[in-house]
Amino acid sequence: MPPMPISRAWMALSLLWLPLAAQEASVLPDTAVDSPPVDTITPVPAPEIGFGAPLGETPEMPNNVNISNFGGGPIKFENRDSIRFEGPGIKVTGDNGLEIFSDSAVWDNKAGTVTLTGHVSIYQGNVLQRGDSAVYDFNRKSLDTRGLRASLDPILLEAGKFTVEDYNGKKVYVGKDAGITTHDVENPNYWLRADKTTVYPGEKIVFNHLRVFAGDTQVFWLPYLSQPLDAELGYHFIPGSRSNWGPYLLNTYGIMLGGKTDPDTGEKEGQWLLSRWHLDLRSKRGVGTGVDFLDTRSDTSDEFTGLSLYYLNDLAPDTRRSGVPRGFVNEDRYRIGLQHRQKLEIPDGAEWRLDTNLTYLSDTHFLEDFDTVRYRTDPAPDNTIGLFRRDDTSLLSIFARLRLNDFYRTDTRLPEVAFDQARRPIFGLPLLHEGNASYGIIGEQASDPTRDSLLNPLLQLTSADPMAKSLLGQLTGYDRRLAQKLISLPIGDRRREAIRAQLLDSSYSRFNTYQELSLPFTLGNTLT
């Protein structure tokens, strides 16, 4: 059933105060006269009745607010200036697009307010607020929302007092004694609380005197924090504990750099360089610092992560999680990485690009100790630089692989050139050609730790020496098979020198080509 408008509700209720007209003697029928029943009723006008006020003093319902009772509950008169609506199912609509739902409401004409209680939900634009009570001043069009929670996707805002203000033509939400969380459940497991919280929708949140709570326990404090809503920007922290780190707290703060300053507003525009600054605290390993720079103008930011710098003065570099023994590791641990794609503007009608993938590490155990995610998939990172030219029919690649980390067994290519040709007609004839060709100067080098501690000692041993078996047990794959073949030969055998070169520093040139000619034709318009 649709809600009954307020004016009609008042009229219906005022009829209950009238005496029944049929009770007056002047309108009762004469029992002695047998006359047919009359099928008409004379209308009786209803006087204007106020809420407990004398006749003719009924206050007028304002035009800027409307109250509807969807639940059909009773309407009670509080006094001459107010009326109570019992739900559930009360809806208050303002002329500013505001919609409020609650279990009950009290309209106060003198104060110019509507007080709502019980399961209050407030909808205003894209903002949802929930709580137990709210007061709407329909003259000033303002809300008193103490204790309400506001939903501003992707955050929840809980404020002692919550107001909406205008800032350069945009709505800004300001909370006093407010709490912020993104844990969208009834009882979030963390809150960021501040004396003043200002939300700029879609942009940032500014905290004054910020306190971080895990449950009901305060764990952190900052005097001021401006937190962008972008997941890459602002302050992020990860607490935890590991057996090889001890208790730790990883801190990252992301800000945008570059761009130009608007002379009118003083704000930066066109910022393109994302910077992430790291300060990591590990109780067993010390303090680590670093920064990442990423060009956000590139459409390959997921694949190419830009320039990355990180340093840690390790308090316990000999700590390990695996059973593999490690030798001496210097306490200065670091990583320098550059993964970047640069498009080149060369006016020849083709697309040119320069791809750089370089990782320089302090030691062979750095990724194992401090970047376990990458270590699982790429324990020995490649170091490559490639220049590529692509057009509609061909791809030219000039490719080099470098040996930056001498503690890995690596192959080097200085350089390798490849040309791939797509299938196309030759001189406009039906004869088609496709193919590829490549040439490279390739070298393979054993890692320095393996060379010094394993391979060089094995060169002086044979299979009869007791130490040979222990050294072989530390080699794997191709190196182990070559070493077994070497120690099976007597010392002084000329074949040992050839095997030594394959183990320690082999190199060769390679040329490869594949060419194909094809002539497609159709037989009987059915078989191609």
Side-chain angles (χ1 to χ4, degrees), residues 159-204:
K161 185 177 181 181
F162 183 74
T163 58
V164 181
E165 301 178 3
D166 184 78
Y167 177 77
N168 292 338
K170 299 180 181 179
K171 286 186 177 180
V172 175
Y173 303 90
V174 180
K176 302 293 185 181
D177 300 322
I180 288 282
T181 184
T182 56
H183 193 197
D184 190 9
V185 298
E186 182 177 359
N187 296 305
N189 56 21
Y190 79 92
W191 283 98
L192 306 179
R193 300 190 181 277
D195 293 347
K196 179 183 178 182
T197 304
T198 307
V199 181
Y200 300 81
E203 298 180 13
K204 62 182 178 180

mmCIF file of all heavy atoms in Angstrom, residues 159-204:
data_model
loop_
_atom_site.group_PDB
_atom_site.id
_atom_site.type_symbol
_atom_site.label_atom_id
_atom_site.label_comp_id
_atom_site.label_asym_id
_atom_site.label_seq_id
_atom_site.Cartn_x
_atom_site.Cartn_y
_atom_site.Cartn_z
ATOM 1 N N ALA A 159 31.998 8.509 12.468
ATOM 2 C CA ALA A 159 32.353 9.816 13.006
ATOM 3 C C ALA A 159 31.506 10.185 14.194
ATOM 4 O O ALA A 159 30.322 9.857 14.262
ATOM 5 C CB ALA A 159 32.194 10.889 11.923
ATOM 6 N N GLY A 160 32.143 10.891 15.143
ATOM 7 C CA GLY A 160 31.371 11.481 16.221
ATOM 8 C C GLY A 160 30.465 12.569 15.684
ATOM 9 O O GLY A 160 29.329 12.724 16.098
ATOM 10 N N LYS A 161 30.965 13.343 14.714
ATOM 11 C CA LYS A 161 30.153 14.326 14.013
ATOM 12 C C LYS A 161 30.595 14.333 12.565
ATOM 13 O O LYS A 161 31.786 14.415 12.264
ATOM 14 C CB LYS A 161 30.330 15.715 14.637
ATOM 15 C CG LYS A 161 29.399 16.758 14.026
ATOM 16 C CD LYS A 161 29.554 18.106 14.713
ATOM 17 C CE LYS A 161 28.585 19.120 14.100
ATOM 18 N NZ LYS A 161 28.724 20.457 14.725
ATOM 19 N N PHE A 162 29.632 14.268 11.663
ATOM 20 C CA PHE A 162 29.929 14.085 10.254
ATOM 21 C C PHE A 162 29.237 15.183 9.468
ATOM 22 O O PHE A 162 28.026 15.363 9.564
ATOM 23 C CB PHE A 162 29.433 12.709 9.800
ATOM 24 C CG PHE A 162 29.752 12.376 8.374
ATOM 25 C CD1 PHE A 162 31.031 12.040 8.002
ATOM 26 C CD2 PHE A 162 28.760 12.390 7.410
ATOM 27 C CE1 PHE A 162 31.319 11.723 6.694
ATOM 28 C CE2 PHE A 162 29.038 12.073 6.105
ATOM 29 C CZ PHE A 162 30.324 11.735 5.739
ATOM 30 N N THR A 163 29.999 15.978 8.696
ATOM 31 C CA THR A 163 29.420 17.080 7.929
ATOM 32 C C THR A 163 29.893 16.998 6.482
ATOM 33 O O THR A 163 30.930 16.400 6.173
ATOM 34 C CB THR A 163 29.838 18.440 8.511
ATOM 35 O OG1 THR A 163 31.264 18.547 8.510
ATOM 36 C CG2 THR A 163 29.305 18.608 9.925
ATOM 37 N N VAL A 164 29.111 17.619 5.611
ATOM 38 C CA VAL A 164 29.443 17.696 4.193
ATOM 39 C C VAL A 164 29.741 19.157 3.868
ATOM 40 O O VAL A 164 28.920 20.038 4.125
ATOM 41 C CB VAL A 164 28.290 17.180 3.314
ATOM 42 C CG1 VAL A 164 28.669 17.248 1.845
ATOM 43 C CG2 VAL A 164 27.925 15.750 3.700
ATOM 44 N N GLU A 165 30.931 19.420 3.331
ATOM 45 C CA GLU A 165 31.342 20.777 3.022
ATOM 46 C C GLU A 165 31.688 20.897 1.545
ATOM 47 O O GLU A 165 31.917 19.888 0.856
ATOM 48 C CB GLU A 165 32.553 21.168 3.884
ATOM 49 C CG GLU A 165 32.291 21.094 5.379
ATOM 50 C CD GLU A 165 33.524 21.438 6.203
ATOM 51 O OE1 GLU A 165 34.562 21.782 5.583
ATOM 52 O OE2 GLU A 165 33.451 21.359 7.441
ATOM 53 N N ASP A 166 31.730 22.133 1.052
ATOM 54 C CA ASP A 166 32.055 22.396 -0.340
ATOM 55 C C ASP A 166 33.497 22.884 -0.430
ATOM 56 O O ASP A 166 33.930 23.762 0.309
ATOM 57 C CB ASP A 166 31.110 23.452 -0.918
ATOM 58 C CG ASP A 166 31.358 23.676 -2.402
ATOM 59 O OD1 ASP A 166 30.897 22.841 -3.197
ATOM 60 O OD2 ASP A 166 32.029 24.674 -2.760
ATOM 61 N N TYR A 167 34.273 22.251 -1.347
ATOM 62 C CA TYR A 167 35.669 22.622 -1.538
ATOM 63 C C TYR A 167 35.951 22.719 -3.030
ATOM 64 O O TYR A 167 35.976 21.705 -3.735
ATOM 65 C CB TYR A 167 36.596 21.574 -0.896
ATOM 66 C CG TYR A 167 38.078 21.837 -1.119
ATOM 67 C CD1 TYR A 167 38.745 22.811 -0.397
ATOM 68 C CD2 TYR A 167 38.789 21.111 -2.069
ATOM 69 C CE1 TYR A 167 40.094 23.057 -0.595
ATOM 70 C CE2 TYR A 167 40.134 21.341 -2.279
ATOM 71 C CZ TYR A 167 40.786 22.315 -1.543
ATOM 72 O OH TYR A 167 42.113 22.553 -1.759
ATOM 73 N N ASN A 168 36.103 23.954 -3.522
ATOM 74 C CA ASN A 168 36.351 24.199 -4.950
ATOM 75 C C ASN A 168 35.320 23.506 -5.838
ATOM 76 O O ASN A 168 35.654 22.878 -6.847
ATOM 77 C CB ASN A 168 37.764 23.751 -5.336
ATOM 78 C CG ASN A 168 38.842 24.604 -4.706
ATOM 79 O OD1 ASN A 168 38.585 25.757 -4.320
ATOM 80 N ND2 ASN A 168 40.048 24.067 -4.583
ATOM 81 N N GLY A 169 34.057 23.591 -5.424
ATOM 82 C CA GLY A 169 32.988 23.008 -6.222
ATOM 83 C C GLY A 169 32.784 21.521 -6.045
ATOM 84 O O GLY A 169 31.943 20.923 -6.713
ATOM 85 N N LYS A 170 33.533 20.886 -5.133
ATOM 86 C CA LYS A 170 33.403 19.455 -4.882
ATOM 87 C C LYS A 170 32.940 19.228 -3.452
ATOM 88 O O LYS A 170 33.239 20.021 -2.560
ATOM 89 C CB LYS A 170 34.740 18.733 -5.109
ATOM 90 C CG LYS A 170 35.278 18.851 -6.529
ATOM 91 C CD LYS A 170 36.608 18.106 -6.641
ATOM 92 C CE LYS A 170 37.180 18.225 -8.038
ATOM 93 N NZ LYS A 170 38.491 17.534 -8.154
ATOM 94 N N LYS A 171 32.210 18.130 -3.244
ATOM 95 C CA LYS A 171 31.778 17.769 -1.899
ATOM 96 C C LYS A 171 32.927 17.113 -1.141
ATOM 97 O O LYS A 171 33.571 16.196 -1.639
ATOM 98 C CB LYS A 171 30.583 16.816 -1.959
ATOM 99 C CG LYS A 171 29.279 17.495 -2.347
ATOM 100 C CD LYS A 171 28.124 16.532 -2.254
ATOM 101 C CE LYS A 171 26.801 17.224 -2.580
ATOM 102 N NZ LYS A 171 25.648 16.302 -2.497
ATOM 103 N N VAL A 172 33.175 17.602 0.066
ATOM 104 C CA VAL A 172 34.204 17.061 0.947
ATOM 105 C C VAL A 172 33.529 16.632 2.240
ATOM 106 O O VAL A 172 32.700 17.364 2.792
ATOM 107 C CB VAL A 172 35.299 18.109 1.233
ATOM 108 C CG1 VAL A 172 36.291 17.582 2.241
ATOM 109 C CG2 VAL A 172 36.007 18.492 -0.055
ATOM 110 N N TYR A 173 33.871 15.447 2.739
ATOM 111 C CA TYR A 173 33.238 14.893 3.928
ATOM 112 C C TYR A 173 34.209 15.000 5.098
ATOM 113 O O TYR A 173 35.339 14.508 5.031
ATOM 114 C CB TYR A 173 32.832 13.443 3.681
ATOM 115 C CG TYR A 173 31.922 13.301 2.493
ATOM 116 C CD1 TYR A 173 32.440 13.091 1.220
ATOM 117 C CD2 TYR A 173 30.547 13.418 2.640
ATOM 118 C CE1 TYR A 173 31.605 12.983 0.124
ATOM 119 C CE2 TYR A 173 29.712 13.305 1.540
ATOM 120 C CZ TYR A 173 30.243 13.096 0.289
ATOM 121 O OH TYR A 173 29.416 12.994 -0.803
ATOM 122 N N VAL A 174 33.755 15.677 6.152
ATOM 123 C CA VAL A 174 34.616 15.960 7.303
ATOM 124 C C VAL A 174 34.038 15.270 8.532
ATOM 125 O O VAL A 174 32.857 15.455 8.867
ATOM 126 C CB VAL A 174 34.736 17.474 7.551
ATOM 127 C CG1 VAL A 174 35.637 17.746 8.745
ATOM 128 C CG2 VAL A 174 35.267 18.175 6.300
ATOM 129 N N GLY A 175 34.856 14.482 9.191
ATOM 130 C CA GLY A 175 34.438 13.782 10.396
ATOM 131 C C GLY A 175 35.245 14.227 11.595
ATOM 132 O O GLY A 175 36.479 14.301 11.518
ATOM 133 N N LYS A 176 34.596 14.550 12.689
ATOM 134 C CA LYS A 176 35.254 14.868 13.952
ATOM 135 C C LYS A 176 35.283 13.610 14.811
ATOM 136 O O LYS A 176 34.275 12.909 14.935
ATOM 137 C CB LYS A 176 34.501 15.981 14.688
ATOM 138 C CG LYS A 176 34.350 17.275 13.889
ATOM 139 C CD LYS A 176 35.692 17.967 13.660
ATOM 140 C CE LYS A 176 35.486 19.316 12.979
ATOM 141 N NZ LYS A 176 36.756 20.001 12.711
ATOM 142 N N ASP A 177 36.459 13.342 15.424
ATOM 143 C CA ASP A 177 36.632 12.092 16.194
ATOM 144 C C ASP A 177 36.197 10.905 15.343
ATOM 145 O O ASP A 177 35.353 10.088 15.750
ATOM 146 C CB ASP A 177 35.839 12.140 17.494
ATOM 147 C CG ASP A 177 36.282 13.279 18.390
ATOM 148 O OD1 ASP A 177 37.488 13.546 18.432
ATOM 149 O OD2 ASP A 177 35.414 13.918 19.022
ATOM 150 N N ALA A 178 36.765 10.804 14.143
ATOM 151 C CA ALA A 178 36.287 9.846 13.142
ATOM 152 C C ALA A 178 37.191 8.622 13.063
ATOM 153 O O ALA A 178 38.359 8.648 13.436
ATOM 154 C CB ALA A 178 36.199 10.514 11.773
ATOM 155 N N GLY A 179 36.617 7.549 12.538
ATOM 156 C CA GLY A 179 37.358 6.326 12.268
ATOM 157 C C GLY A 179 37.183 5.924 10.820
ATOM 158 O O GLY A 179 36.116 6.079 10.237
ATOM 159 N N ILE A 180 38.259 5.377 10.213
ATOM 160 C CA ILE A 180 38.260 4.946 8.821
ATOM 161 C C ILE A 180 38.674 3.482 8.774
ATOM 162 O O ILE A 180 39.600 3.060 9.458
ATOM 163 C CB ILE A 180 39.241 5.776 7.979
ATOM 164 C CG1 ILE A 180 38.703 7.181 7.767
ATOM 165 C CG2 ILE A 180 39.517 5.125 6.641
ATOM 166 C CD1 ILE A 180 37.638 7.289 6.727
ATOM 167 N N THR A 181 37.994 2.684 7.932
ATOM 168 C CA THR A 181 38.413 1.303 7.687
ATOM 169 C C THR A 181 37.954 0.904 6.295
ATOM 170 O O THR A 181 37.010 1.487 5.755
ATOM 171 C CB THR A 181 37.833 0.335 8.742
ATOM 172 O OG1 THR A 181 38.352 -0.985 8.509
ATOM 173 C CG2 THR A 181 36.317 0.286 8.654
ATOM 174 N N THR A 182 38.638 -0.086 5.718
ATOM 175 C CA THR A 182 38.196 -0.676 4.452
ATOM 176 C C THR A 182 37.723 -2.113 4.658
ATOM 177 O O THR A 182 37.423 -2.804 3.692
ATOM 178 C CB THR A 182 39.342 -0.673 3.420
ATOM 179 O OG1 THR A 182 40.475 -1.356 3.963
ATOM 180 C CG2 THR A 182 39.738 0.736 3.053
ATOM 181 N N HIS A 183 37.676 -2.547 5.933
ATOM 182 C CA HIS A 183 37.199 -3.886 6.248
ATOM 183 C C HIS A 183 35.677 -3.834 6.376
ATOM 184 O O HIS A 183 35.140 -3.457 7.413
ATOM 185 C CB HIS A 183 37.836 -4.378 7.550
ATOM 186 C CG HIS A 183 37.653 -5.845 7.775
ATOM 187 N ND1 HIS A 183 37.830 -6.442 8.996
ATOM 188 C CD2 HIS A 183 37.315 -6.847 6.920
ATOM 189 C CE1 HIS A 183 37.608 -7.740 8.897
ATOM 190 N NE2 HIS A 183 37.292 -7.999 7.645
ATOM 191 N N ASP A 184 34.982 -4.218 5.299
ATOM 192 C CA ASP A 184 33.549 -3.994 5.176
ATOM 193 C C ASP A 184 32.758 -5.120 5.858
ATOM 194 O O ASP A 184 32.121 -5.945 5.207
ATOM 195 C CB ASP A 184 33.161 -3.896 3.699
ATOM 196 C CG ASP A 184 31.731 -3.422 3.510
ATOM 197 O OD1 ASP A 184 31.122 -3.021 4.507
ATOM 198 O OD2 ASP A 184 31.238 -3.466 2.375
ATOM 199 N N VAL A 185 32.841 -5.170 7.183
ATOM 200 C CA VAL A 185 32.055 -6.120 7.974
ATOM 201 C C VAL A 185 31.476 -5.360 9.161
ATOM 202 O O VAL A 185 31.809 -4.201 9.409
ATOM 203 C CB VAL A 185 32.912 -7.315 8.474
ATOM 204 C CG1 VAL A 185 33.459 -8.116 7.310
ATOM 205 C CG2 VAL A 185 34.061 -6.822 9.345
ATOM 206 N N GLU A 186 30.588 -6.020 9.904
ATOM 207 C CA GLU A 186 29.931 -5.349 11.025
ATOM 208 C C GLU A 186 30.939 -4.919 12.083
ATOM 209 O O GLU A 186 30.836 -3.820 12.656
ATOM 210 C CB GLU A 186 28.874 -6.265 11.638
ATOM 211 C CG GLU A 186 28.105 -5.610 12.782
ATOM 212 C CD GLU A 186 27.012 -6.516 13.330
ATOM 213 O OE1 GLU A 186 26.848 -7.630 12.803
ATOM 214 O OE2 GLU A 186 26.333 -6.100 14.280
ATOM 215 N N ASN A 187 31.926 -5.793 12.368
ATOM 216 C CA ASN A 187 32.948 -5.469 13.369
ATOM 217 C C ASN A 187 34.323 -5.543 12.707
ATOM 218 O O ASN A 187 34.986 -6.590 12.744
ATOM 219 C CB ASN A 187 32.872 -6.443 14.561
ATOM 220 C CG ASN A 187 31.562 -6.328 15.317
ATOM 221 O OD1 ASN A 187 31.191 -5.239 15.753
ATOM 222 N ND2 ASN A 187 30.863 -7.435 15.460
ATOM 223 N N PRO A 188 34.790 -4.442 12.067
ATOM 224 C CA PRO A 188 36.092 -4.459 11.389
ATOM 225 C C PRO A 188 37.225 -4.786 12.354
ATOM 226 O O PRO A 188 37.181 -4.433 13.530
ATOM 227 C CB PRO A 188 36.217 -3.031 10.841
ATOM 228 C CG PRO A 188 34.815 -2.520 10.772
ATOM 229 C CD PRO A 188 34.103 -3.149 11.920
ATOM 230 N N ASN A 189 38.272 -5.463 11.825
ATOM 231 C CA ASN A 189 39.370 -5.846 12.704
ATOM 232 C C ASN A 189 40.453 -4.771 12.798
ATOM 233 O O ASN A 189 41.449 -4.957 13.494
ATOM 234 C CB ASN A 189 39.999 -7.174 12.249
ATOM 235 C CG ASN A 189 40.476 -7.130 10.812
ATOM 236 O OD1 ASN A 189 40.699 -6.056 10.260
ATOM 237 N ND2 ASN A 189 40.631 -8.292 10.193
ATOM 238 N N TYR A 190 40.299 -3.651 12.099
ATOM 239 C CA TYR A 190 41.222 -2.540 12.285
ATOM 240 C C TYR A 190 40.515 -1.227 11.970
ATOM 241 O O TYR A 190 39.563 -1.169 11.207
ATOM 242 C CB TYR A 190 42.466 -2.687 11.398
ATOM 243 C CG TYR A 190 42.247 -2.295 9.961
ATOM 244 C CD1 TYR A 190 42.505 -0.997 9.523
ATOM 245 C CD2 TYR A 190 41.770 -3.214 9.031
ATOM 246 C CE1 TYR A 190 42.304 -0.627 8.218
ATOM 247 C CE2 TYR A 190 41.559 -2.850 7.719
ATOM 248 C CZ TYR A 190 41.837 -1.559 7.310
ATOM 249 O OH TYR A 190 41.628 -1.195 6.005
ATOM 250 N N TRP A 191 40.980 -0.162 12.595
ATOM 251 C CA TRP A 191 40.455 1.189 12.380
ATOM 252 C C TRP A 191 41.612 2.172 12.338
ATOM 253 O O TRP A 191 42.604 2.016 13.058
ATOM 254 C CB TRP A 191 39.499 1.603 13.510
ATOM 255 C CG TRP A 191 38.138 0.998 13.437
ATOM 256 C CD1 TRP A 191 37.689 -0.110 14.118
ATOM 257 C CD2 TRP A 191 37.038 1.462 12.658
ATOM 258 N NE1 TRP A 191 36.383 -0.363 13.790
ATOM 259 C CE2 TRP A 191 35.942 0.590 12.905
ATOM 260 C CE3 TRP A 191 36.853 2.529 11.771
ATOM 261 C CZ2 TRP A 191 34.714 0.752 12.297
ATOM 262 C CZ3 TRP A 191 35.618 2.695 11.166
ATOM 263 C CH2 TRP A 191 34.562 1.812 11.434
ATOM 264 N N LEU A 192 41.485 3.197 11.509
ATOM 265 C CA LEU A 192 42.346 4.371 11.549
ATOM 266 C C LEU A 192 41.494 5.496 12.118
ATOM 267 O O LEU A 192 40.524 5.922 11.491
ATOM 268 C CB LEU A 192 42.858 4.742 10.153
ATOM 269 C CG LEU A 192 43.559 3.642 9.350
ATOM 270 C CD1 LEU A 192 43.973 4.167 7.996
ATOM 271 C CD2 LEU A 192 44.770 3.114 10.101
ATOM 272 N N ARG A 193 41.837 5.977 13.294
ATOM 273 C CA ARG A 193 41.026 6.997 13.963
ATOM 274 C C ARG A 193 41.826 8.292 14.089
ATOM 275 O O ARG A 193 43.040 8.267 14.289
ATOM 276 C CB ARG A 193 40.570 6.517 15.341
ATOM 277 C CG ARG A 193 39.726 5.246 15.284
ATOM 278 C CD ARG A 193 39.084 4.929 16.613
ATOM 279 N NE ARG A 193 38.295 3.698 16.542
ATOM 280 C CZ ARG A 193 37.060 3.622 16.101
ATOM 281 N NH1 ARG A 193 36.454 4.737 15.684
ATOM 282 N NH2 ARG A 193 36.407 2.484 16.064
ATOM 283 N N ALA A 194 41.127 9.429 13.962
ATOM 284 C CA ALA A 194 41.793 10.719 14.007
ATOM 285 C C ALA A 194 40.856 11.755 14.600
ATOM 286 O O ALA A 194 39.628 11.604 14.561
ATOM 287 C CB ALA A 194 42.221 11.146 12.602
ATOM 288 N N ASP A 195 41.481 12.816 15.154
ATOM 289 C CA ASP A 195 40.664 13.909 15.689
ATOM 290 C C ASP A 195 39.844 14.563 14.581
ATOM 291 O O ASP A 195 38.699 14.957 14.790
ATOM 292 C CB ASP A 195 41.561 14.955 16.356
ATOM 293 C CG ASP A 195 42.233 14.407 17.602
ATOM 294 O OD1 ASP A 195 41.818 13.326 18.068
ATOM 295 O OD2 ASP A 195 43.169 15.047 18.109
ATOM 296 N N LYS A 196 40.440 14.659 13.391
ATOM 297 C CA LYS A 196 39.731 15.214 12.243
ATOM 298 C C LYS A 196 40.096 14.392 11.007
ATOM 299 O O LYS A 196 41.270 14.155 10.745
ATOM 300 C CB LYS A 196 40.089 16.682 12.028
ATOM 301 C CG LYS A 196 39.391 17.305 10.817
ATOM 302 C CD LYS A 196 39.843 18.757 10.612
ATOM 303 C CE LYS A 196 39.188 19.354 9.376
ATOM 304 N NZ LYS A 196 39.657 20.751 9.123
ATOM 305 N N THR A 197 39.089 13.965 10.275
ATOM 306 C CA THR A 197 39.289 13.192 9.061
ATOM 307 C C THR A 197 38.547 13.872 7.920
ATOM 308 O O THR A 197 37.346 14.097 8.011
ATOM 309 C CB THR A 197 38.778 11.753 9.220
ATOM 310 O OG1 THR A 197 39.423 11.144 10.344
ATOM 311 C CG2 THR A 197 39.049 10.935 7.979
ATOM 312 N N THR A 198 39.267 14.206 6.859
ATOM 313 C CA THR A 198 38.671 14.864 5.696
ATOM 314 C C THR A 198 38.785 13.935 4.501
ATOM 315 O O THR A 198 39.893 13.522 4.127
ATOM 316 C CB THR A 198 39.379 16.191 5.388
ATOM 317 O OG1 THR A 198 39.401 16.999 6.581
ATOM 318 C CG2 THR A 198 38.650 16.946 4.288
ATOM 319 N N VAL A 199 37.642 13.599 3.901
ATOM 320 C CA VAL A 199 37.590 12.673 2.769
ATOM 321 C C VAL A 199 37.310 13.460 1.495
ATOM 322 O O VAL A 199 36.282 14.136 1.390
ATOM 323 C CB VAL A 199 36.512 11.593 2.976
ATOM 324 C CG1 VAL A 199 36.498 10.636 1.801
ATOM 325 C CG2 VAL A 199 36.755 10.841 4.279
ATOM 326 N N TYR A 200 38.242 13.388 0.547
ATOM 327 C CA TYR A 200 38.049 13.946 -0.788
ATOM 328 C C TYR A 200 37.711 12.767 -1.699
ATOM 329 O O TYR A 200 38.618 12.028 -2.109
ATOM 330 C CB TYR A 200 39.314 14.652 -1.273
ATOM 331 C CG TYR A 200 39.749 15.806 -0.393
ATOM 332 C CD1 TYR A 200 40.463 15.589 0.782
ATOM 333 C CD2 TYR A 200 39.452 17.116 -0.738
ATOM 334 C CE1 TYR A 200 40.870 16.638 1.596
ATOM 335 C CE2 TYR A 200 39.853 18.179 0.067
ATOM 336 C CZ TYR A 200 40.561 17.929 1.232
ATOM 337 O OH TYR A 200 40.966 18.966 2.027
ATOM 338 N N PRO A 201 36.410 12.524 -2.008
ATOM 339 C CA PRO A 201 36.013 11.303 -2.726
ATOM 340 C C PRO A 201 36.797 11.114 -4.022
ATOM 341 O O PRO A 201 36.943 12.037 -4.819
ATOM 342 C CB PRO A 201 34.524 11.529 -2.995
ATOM 343 C CG PRO A 201 34.090 12.459 -1.914
ATOM 344 C CD PRO A 201 35.257 13.367 -1.687
ATOM 345 N N GLY A 202 37.296 9.867 -4.183
ATOM 346 C CA GLY A 202 38.043 9.516 -5.368
ATOM 347 C C GLY A 202 39.463 10.034 -5.395
ATOM 348 O O GLY A 202 40.213 9.723 -6.328
ATOM 349 N N GLU A 203 39.899 10.822 -4.384
ATOM 350 C CA GLU A 203 41.229 11.419 -4.403
ATOM 351 C C GLU A 203 42.065 10.994 -3.208
ATOM 352 O O GLU A 203 43.048 10.264 -3.350
ATOM 353 C CB GLU A 203 41.127 12.948 -4.459
ATOM 354 C CG GLU A 203 40.438 13.481 -5.714
ATOM 355 C CD GLU A 203 40.364 14.990 -5.728
ATOM 356 O OE1 GLU A 203 41.059 15.614 -4.904
ATOM 357 O OE2 GLU A 203 39.610 15.537 -6.544
ATOM 358 N N LYS A 204 41.680 11.454 -1.998
ATOM 359 C CA LYS A 204 42.542 11.214 -0.853
ATOM 360 C C LYS A 204 41.761 11.363 0.446
ATOM 361 O O LYS A 204 40.616 11.842 0.459
ATOM 362 C CB LYS A 204 43.714 12.197 -0.852
ATOM 363 C CG LYS A 204 43.279 13.660 -0.739
ATOM 364 C CD LYS A 204 44.457 14.604 -0.800
ATOM 365 C CE LYS A 204 43.996 16.074 -0.737
ATOM 366 N NZ LYS A 204 45.133 17.006 -0.784
#
